[in-house]
Amino acid sequence: MLALGLVFFTESKDTGFWSKFYKIVPGLFIAYMFPAVLTTLGLIAPEWETVDSVKNFTHHKTSLYFVASRFLLPAALVLMTLSIDLKAVFNLGWKALIMFFTGTLGIVIGGPIAILIIGSISPETVGGADADSVWRGLSTLAGSWIGGGANQTAMLEIYEYNQAKYGAMVFVDIVVANVWMAILLIGIGKSDKINKWLKADNSSIEKLKEKVSTFSNKIKRNPSLTDIMIMAAIAFGTVSFAHLSADFLAPFFENLVSNISSPTTRNIFTFLGSTFFWMISISTIIAILLSFTKAKNYEGAGASKFGSVFIYILVASIGMKMDLTLIFDNVGLIAVGVVWMSIHAILLIVVAKLIRAPYFFLAVGSQANVGGAASAPIVASAFHPSLATVGVLLAVFGYAVGTVAAIGCTILMELAAAS
């Protein structure tokens, strides 16, 4: 919170160095990178060890990211979705879906191309045999970058990668995905210039933003303590119900899916056993239903602003997980990840240019794949709080197609590694 407070304080300056600085670099990016720098310098730590007088080591780790992603994120989605105009969201049209599927295709073809490119320079980086085959490990990245954690776990089970080496793949996932997210956040500050270059039609997004802003201004009021407590009750009451429901639904579907005889079909639906999937989905559904009631008037008391506070805490907690020096410990695999993500990015840019899709669709379509439900709303809400729901809807869609697309990607990676 000190880091976030410092970012917002400096960003509020109208003149001088900070005014010029934030015209180039978005505040959201600094809110993300500042904690990463603090972790890298060793001033804060996501994990640490203590030793007692008889030399017994105890491992500790912070629960900040868990709390932010499991409690504050769904609460933020509720508060940001209260005033949503669902019809206007659907009016955003086909370009949003095209960019999402382009992002998926970029991951599917990016993996095998990255193996071919890096393999021609350093064959040992993408080599290995049997359970140690690197392509098996990279299959987990495909699952994560198209769907999410549940899809990633499914790929680990399907292709039986050596779990002793799995940590390196998780690290590549964290580093490459987070660096790409940082690049997308920087782009948000230059979205007008990017849209001009793309010759994009941004009218549907602007209409949605204007509609929400007009509604918000019409019902705007200074929030009373009662308003704040009721908003907290709506947000965290929904979160509690979502957690309760997810704790029933996830084991039920996990048991249901585990009884499917076909291994391929079984793993396609593994995501239904994820409590996080159900928790985010149920929170969003309830919030959308509440948007048809008088609860939407709490936007006038600043519901989306309180939601934004939670989103920024999540952004900072993601940044805190990053130790930038560790990038140099896995240079070969990081190179595979960078090439892979670059192909994903290039394909998105080319298609966005061809169909004149605005930068919003490019950024959110990418993050709905690569970052999933934990970070797609962050990128979407950076454009406008009312757009957070778009990120969630696309990310949930990513869960559904994640394992199928990742299997296709892995088949191509296996062929590339054998060539």
Side-chain angles (χ1 to χ4, degrees):
M1 292 310 299
L2 281 169
L4 290 173
L6 188 60
V7 170
F8 272 81
F9 176 73
T10 52
E11 194 179 15
S12 68
K13 298 295 181 183
D14 295 327
T15 57
F17 168 78
W18 291 115
S19 174
K20 294 173 184 174
F21 177 79
Y22 284 108
K23 282 178 182 174
I24 301 168
V25 183
L28 187 61
F29 172 73
I30 301 301
Y32 175 72
M33 286 304 294
F34 190 19
V37 171
L38 294 177
T39 297
T40 304
L41 295 175
L43 296 173
I44 58 175
E47 297 185 29
W48 67 97
E49 286 184 338
T50 55
V51 58
D52 60 20
S53 56
V54 291
K55 304 295 182 186
N56 290 321
F57 285 86
T58 307
H59 185 78
H60 307 270
K61 67 176 183 176
T62 176
S63 298
L64 280 172
Y65 174 73
F66 179 84
V67 172
S69 61
R70 266 61 177 180
F71 296 93
L72 298 186
L73 171 62
L77 295 176
V78 172
L79 292 169
M80 288 173 155
T81 305
L82 282 180
S83 61
I84 196 67
D85 185 325
L86 197 60
K87 185 180 176 184
V89 168
F90 287 126
N91 284 343
L92 292 176
W94 54 273
K95 288 183 181 179
L97 282 176
I98 290 288
M99 293 310 295
F100 170 79
F101 282 117
T102 299
T104 303
L105 181 62
I107 298 298
V108 171
I109 66 170
I113 294 172
I115 286 177
L116 289 172
I117 292 172
I118 300 300
S120 66
I121 301 165
S122 174
E124 65 277 7
T125 300
V126 294
D130 301 322
D132 291 332
S133 299
V134 171
W135 64 265
R136 293 181 189 273
L138 294 175
S139 73
T140 65
L141 287 186
S144 176
W145 288 351
I146 298 170
N151 308 87
Q152 186 175 25
T153 306
M155 297 306 290
L156 183 63
E157 290 180 11
I158 294 169
Y159 290 100
E160 299 176 334
Y161 182 59
N162 183 350
Q163 294 199 15
K165 295 185 176 183
Y166 179 50
M169 295 298 169
V170 174
F171 178 74
V172 174
D173 180 11
I174 292 169
V175 170
V176 177
N178 284 354
V179 168
W180 173 236
M181 180 175 160
I183 292 168
L184 290 175
L185 293 177
I186 291 173
I188 292 170
K190 306 178 189 305
S191 58
D192 288 341
K193 288 182 180 177
I194 295 171
N195 284 335
K196 194 174 179 180
W197 179 77
L198 291 170
K199 296 179 180 176
D201 177 12
N202 208 30
S203 58
S204 59
I205 296 166
E206 292 303 321
K207 278 179 189 172
L208 176 56
K209 284 162 63 175
E210 189 179 337
K211 204 169 186 180
V212 172
S213 297
T214 302
F215 173 72
S216 180
N217 289 330
K218 191 168 73 173
I219 58 170
K220 194 172 184 179
R221 64 183 189 271
N222 284 327
S224 64
L225 179 59
T226 301
D227 285 331
I228 293 170
M229 293 305 290
I230 290 174
M231 284 189 285
I234 291 170
F236 289 102
T238 301
V239 172
S240 68
F241 180 76
H243 273 269
L244 179 68
S245 303
D247 286 343
F248 280 105
L249 289 169
F252 171 76
F253 279 99
E254 187 174 28
N255 183 54
L256 201 67
V257 170
S258 66
N259 290 323
I260 297 173
S261 56
S262 167
T264 305
T265 307
R266 185 168 61 245
N267 281 294
I268 286 170
F269 294 103
T270 304
F271 73 94
L272 292 174
S274 165
T275 52
F276 185 72
F277 165 78
W278 286 111
M279 182 260 296
I280 291 294
S281 300
I282 292 166
S283 296
T284 306
I285 289 166
I286 293 172
I288 289 170
L289 292 174
L290 286 171
S291 73
F292 292 99
T293 71
K294 288 183 179 179
K296 73 185 299 179
N297 291 328
Y298 281 101
E299 176 58 27
S304 63
K305 287 188 177 70
F306 287 106
S308 295
V309 171
F310 298 154
I311 287 288
Y312 269 93
I313 294 171
L314 175 61
V315 168
S317 70
I318 293 173
M320 287 172 69
K321 293 165 65 181
M322 283 277 287
D323 182 346
L324 301 171
T325 59
L326 294 177
I327 293 172
F328 303 105
D329 293 344
N330 294 275
V331 175
L333 287 175
I334 292 288
V336 174
V338 168
V339 172
W340 193 345
M341 197 61 71
S342 298
I343 291 161
H344 166 79
I346 290 166
L347 191 62
L348 280 166
I349 293 166
V350 169
V351 173
K353 182 78 171 169
L354 287 172
I355 67 172
R356 298 185 177 184
Y359 180 66
F360 171 77
F361 289 152
L362 187 157
V364 177
S366 170
Q367 205 59 30
N369 279 283
V370 177
S375 56
I378 293 172
V379 172
S381 64
F383 288 88
H384 193 274
S386 66
L387 297 170
T389 312
V390 181
V392 180
L393 293 174
L394 287 176
V396 168
F397 198 49
Y399 278 123
V401 302
T403 305
V404 179
I407 288 171
C409 175
T410 307
I411 291 168
L412 295 174
M413 288 195 291
E414 183 181 4
L415 292 171
S419 63

